[in-house]
C-alpha cells in the first residue's frame, strides 16, 4: 500500500508551517514511539483546542496552522491539526466521516462530522478530537474506537466507510467562506460524495 498520500502536506494540513513545527517539537520532546506521539498529539488537540461552537468562537478556522494559532476550530479543522502534527513526524493520518444531526434531533438537519484514523504499527486507529464537552468521552483506544458520537439509526446517523487522505473539500470551502458560526450552521455540507482512498 502506498501511504504517501497519508503523509502529504496540503493547504489545510500545512505541517511545514513554523507554528506547527514548533508545537510538534514541544509536544514530542519526551516521547519516542509513534504510539506515544499519536496519543499526546490526540489528547492535545482534543483537550487544548476548543471546538468553535463550545466557545462561541468569533473566528472561523480551516487550515491546521490557523487552528493552532487561534486555539479553536470545528471537528474538521481540529482533525486537520492532528493530521499536521503527526504527518510532520512521518506518521500516516487519514480522515473519516460520520453523518450526524446538528442538534439532539433532526430538526436542524445534518452535517458531515470528521474524525481521524492514525496508522500505528500497521493498524489504523480511529480517534475523534472534537472535544469532550457536554458528556462526550472520546478516548485514544487500540481496541474498539471510542468516538465522540454514537450513531442513532432512528435519525439516519451513520459512518461513511473507509479512510480518506484529504480533508473534506466541500467543508473546507464552506469554512473558507464563512465569517460566523451561523454561516457554518447554515452551510455545512451533509454528504460525502468522494470515494475513500482506503476501503474497509
Amino acid at each position: 500500500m502506498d501511504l504517501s498520500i497519508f503523509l502529504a502536506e496540503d493547504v489545510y494540513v500545512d505541517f511545514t508551517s513554523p507554528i506547527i513545527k514548533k508545537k510538534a517539537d514541544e509536544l514530542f520532546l519526551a516521547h519516542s514511539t509513534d504510539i506515544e506521539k499519536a496519543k499526546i498529539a490526540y489528547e492535545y488537540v482534543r483537550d487544548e483546542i476548543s471546538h468553535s461552537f463550545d466557545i462561541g468562537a468569533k473566528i472561523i478556522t480551516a487550515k491546521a496552522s490557523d487552528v493552532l494559532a487561534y486555539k479553536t476550530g470545528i471537528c474538521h479543522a481540529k482533525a486537520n491539526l492532528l493530521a499536521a502534527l503527526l504527518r510532520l513526524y512521518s506518521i500516516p493520518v487519514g480522515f473519516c466521516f460520520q453523518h450526524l444531526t446538528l442538534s439532539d434531533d433532526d430538526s436542524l438537519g445534518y452535517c458531515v462530522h470528521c474524525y481521524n484514523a492514525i496508522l500505528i504499527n500497521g493498524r489504523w486507529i480511529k480517534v475523534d478530537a472534537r472535544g469532550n464537552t457536554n458528556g462526550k468521552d472520546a478516548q485514544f483506544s487500540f481496541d474498539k474506537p471510542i468516538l465522540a458520537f454514537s450513531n442513532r439509526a432512528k435519525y439516519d446517523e451513520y459512518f461513511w466507510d473507509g479512510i480518506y487522505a484529504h480533508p473534506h473539500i466541500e467543508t473546507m470551502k464552506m469554512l473558507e467562506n464563512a465569517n460566523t458560526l451561523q454561516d457554518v450552521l447554515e452551510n455545512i455540507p451533509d454528504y460525502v460524495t468522494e470515494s475513500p482512498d482506503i476501503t474497509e
Side-chain angles (χ1 to χ4, degrees), residues 71-84:
K71 298 292 191 293
T72 188
I74 69 166
C75 57
H76 292 261
K78 294 184 70 173
N80 290 345
L81 175 56
L82 181 55

Side-chain angles (χ1 to χ4, degrees), residues 124-198:
W124 288 100
I125 307 301
K126 307 290 181 63
V127 296
D128 191 336
R130 181 248 175 258
N132 284 341
T133 54
N134 300 318
K136 299 172 188 66
D137 190 28
Q139 300 294 331
F140 187 91
S141 172
F142 259 102
D143 300 316
K144 183 178 180 181
I146 305 174
L147 305 176
F149 300 98
S150 298
N151 289 325
R152 300 172 298 170
K154 69 177 181 177
Y155 289 125
D156 193 31
E157 294 180 330
Y158 55 84
F159 297 111
W160 275 277
D161 292 332
I163 302 171
Y164 297 72
H166 306 284
H168 185 232
I169 190 60
E170 294 304 320
T171 299
M172 293 301 101
K173 290 177 180 176
M174 177 276 298
L175 290 172
E176 293 280 9
N177 291 323
N179 294 310
T180 66
L181 290 176
Q182 189 62 35
D183 291 339
V184 176
L185 272 178
E186 292 177 0
N187 297 290
I188 191 165
D190 61 2
Y191 205 76
V192 175
T193 57
E194 299 88 348
S195 297
D197 296 284
I198 291 179

Side-chain angles (χ1 to χ4, degrees), residues 62-154:
K63 66 181 181 179
S65 58
D66 286 341
V67 177
L68 182 56
Y70 294 104
K71 298 292 191 293
T72 188
I74 69 166
C75 57
H76 292 261
K78 294 184 70 173
N80 290 345
L81 175 56
L82 181 55
L85 290 168
L86 294 177
R87 287 184 182 186
L88 176 63
Y89 273 72
S90 299
I91 298 173
V93 182
F95 300 87
C96 301
F97 304 113
Q98 189 175 6
H99 187 248
L100 294 177
T101 64
L102 280 167
S103 62
D104 290 337
D105 56 27
D106 58 0
S107 60
L108 295 180
Y110 292 87
C111 68
V112 176
H113 173 65
C114 182
Y115 59 100
N116 293 102
I118 307 170
L119 186 64
I120 305 172
N121 299 335
R123 179 179 172 190
W124 288 100
I125 307 301
K126 307 290 181 63
V127 296
D128 191 336
R130 181 248 175 258
N132 284 341
T133 54
N134 300 318
K136 299 172 188 66
D137 190 28
Q139 300 294 331
F140 187 91
S141 172
F142 259 102
D143 300 316
K144 183 178 180 181
I146 305 174
L147 305 176
F149 300 98
S150 298
N151 289 325
R152 300 172 298 170
K154 69 177 181 177

